[in-house]
Amino acid sequence: MFTTKTINSVTPSAADPGRGLPSSCSTDSLRTRICGSAWSRCNARFFSLKRVSLNKEKGFHLDMMSSAMFLPKNLHLICVDMPGHEGTTRSSLDDLSIDGQVKRIHQFVECLKLNKKPFHLVGTSMGGHVAGVYAAYYPSDVCSLSLVCPAGLQCSSDNQFIQRLRELQKSAAMEKIPLIPSTPEEMSEMLQLCSYVRFKVPQQLLQGLVDVRIPHNNFYRKLFLEITSEKSRYCLHQNMGKIKVPTQIIWGKQDQVLDVSGADVLAKSIANCQVELLENCGHSVVMERPRKTAKLIVDFFASLYNTDNKKLD
């Protein structure tokens, strides 16, 4: 079951009943729930894929909801939790490869008939990988695309993080993946790896974050190994030439996880591509620069479709 967050300018009670969406639906192995029961009458629709990397209830989350509060209220925004995160359920039968995730998202879109009109698709990190491949696989669903530091690209040289992963693979020590901490010290290191801003997190909170994550670490490790496997690792790179819609790339210049040179790789392969590089920003773009990210996405969309959305100051 996918969990979604729907943000509308029209409350369900005020909406036209004839335009309502089902409160739940199922197709084969997919079951979905939505918050709210109706489409809003608005100028634009945004569909966001987010990857929650830390427990939201503990105060840290790396997802598009950080920027959502800065978006204009007349947008219809749907944020989907990716496999295994937040309330989205897990199954040993799930195909966690990028290809499998893309097809599952398409099943979700078809189930709720979100593709009656093309939507603007946004994805960050793993979600960016999935979003980019989705736009390549299902071009008629998407009118435009925003990719925030997406994974799935093959750069000319490896940064220190990728080099470390390769060393761990060679030594068969993948239980030490830097993005899957199991101690407060490893959690602190992960925060420093993912963010240019140096957060001062108390030891007690670090321990709490680790305690929440540890029961899920085996799944996170399984997911990480799947999306970095030979089948999935460069799926976006292999399909980026098929992306035909206007595309925006947003990347932190100080990203230590996915090298910023990936933005240039995409720009050279996608015909209608706009690149935004953020100074003093790491991999956690939407957490470090939520207002700026929201402004860039809205301004990009407005420039394409001449919408009435008020630009953010």
Side-chain angles (χ1 to χ4, degrees):
M1 182 184 293
F2 277 106
T3 55
T4 70
K5 296 175 179 66
T6 303
I7 301 173
N8 286 324
S9 62
V10 177
T11 61
S13 59
D16 180 356
R19 293 166 61 87
L21 288 174
S23 60
S24 67
C25 68
S26 60
T27 58
D28 299 330
S29 61
L30 173 65
R31 184 171 175 83
T32 64
R33 292 185 307 182
I34 64 169
C35 304
S37 61
W39 291 102
S40 61
R41 296 184 178 89
C42 58
N43 294 324
R45 289 164 50 203
F46 282 64
F47 186 49
S48 170
L49 307 179
K50 70 193 184 89
R51 178 186 180 188
V52 180
S53 299
L54 296 178
N55 188 276
K56 188 169 76 170
E57 295 178 356
K58 295 295 183 179
F60 291 89
H61 54 294
L62 312 181
D63 61 41
M64 291 305 298
M65 296 308 293
S66 300
S67 292
M69 67 182 70
F70 298 110
L71 292 171
K73 301 304 181 184
N74 64 325
L75 295 180
H76 179 200
L77 173 67
I78 298 177
C79 292
V80 181
D81 288 320
M82 300 303 284
H85 295 90
E86 294 289 331
T88 295
T89 53
R90 303 169 189 167
S91 168
S92 59
L93 301 178
D94 288 341
D95 180 358
L96 299 177
S97 69
I98 295 300
D99 191 71
Q101 292 192 51
V102 168
K103 291 176 180 177
R104 194 177 301 112
I105 291 293
H106 183 62
Q107 192 177 21
F108 171 83
V109 168
E110 291 272 295
C111 178
L112 295 185
K113 297 180 172 57
L114 297 177
N115 52 356
K116 283 187 174 180
K117 293 183 179 180
F119 48 76
H120 181 82
L121 183 60
V122 185
T124 176
S125 194
M126 180 185 76
H129 193 167
V130 173
V133 177
Y134 188 101
Y137 282 10
Y138 307 105
S140 62
D141 286 5
V142 181
C143 62
S144 45
L145 181 67
S146 290
L147 302 179
V148 185
C149 54
L153 298 170
Q154 188 169 10
C155 299
S156 57
S157 60
D158 294 337
N159 60 16
Q160 291 184 354
F161 172 72
I162 299 300
Q163 290 174 10
R164 183 178 176 186
L165 286 182
R166 295 194 188 285
E167 291 172 0
L168 290 174
Q169 287 177 325
K170 290 179 181 178
S171 62
M174 293 306 287
E175 71 277 1
K176 294 295 184 181
I177 298 171
L179 296 178
I180 307 177
S182 56
T183 67
E185 293 73 25
E186 291 175 355
M187 176 63 73
S188 179
E189 290 175 3
M190 188 190 79
L191 291 174
Q192 293 183 32
L193 173 67
C194 292
S195 175
Y196 177 78
V197 178
R198 291 296 177 254
F199 297 101
K200 294 182 179 180
V201 184
Q203 182 73 13
Q204 186 177 7
L205 182 53
L206 289 172
Q207 183 64 60
L209 290 169
V210 170
D211 291 344
V212 168
R213 289 182 60 92
I214 283 179
H216 308 288
N217 274 355
N218 285 339
F219 170 80
Y220 294 145
R221 191 172 292 108
K222 177 183 176 182
L223 173 62
F224 186 86
L225 293 176
E226 183 62 54
I227 64 176
T228 58
S229 67
E230 184 176 350
K231 175 183 178 181
S232 293
R233 185 180 304 163
Y234 300 129
C235 199
L236 177 56
H237 197 103
Q238 294 160 359
N239 289 279
M240 59 186 175
K242 301 176 185 176
I243 298 175
K244 304 303 179 184
V245 297
T247 301
Q248 176 187 48
I249 310 299
I250 303 175
W251 219 301
K253 282 190 174 182
Q254 284 73 37
D255 193 330
Q256 299 178 80
V257 177
L258 299 172
D259 196 82
V260 66
S261 62
D264 188 53
V265 172
L266 287 168
K268 290 178 178 178
S269 297
I270 302 174
N272 191 352
C273 187
Q274 176 177 311
V275 175
E276 303 284 354
L277 303 182
L278 304 185
E279 293 282 359
N280 302 324
C281 183
H283 184 64
S284 305
V285 174
V286 293
M287 184 175 74
E288 296 181 72
R289 307 289 290 279
R291 183 186 294 272
K292 181 66 173 179
T293 303
K295 175 176 170 54
L296 288 172
I297 292 173
V298 171
D299 288 356
F300 173 69
F301 188 86
S303 71
L304 294 173
Y305 304 106
N306 193 28
T307 67
D308 296 329
N309 290 325
K310 183 179 179 181
K311 292 188 178 182
L312 303 179
D313 296 326

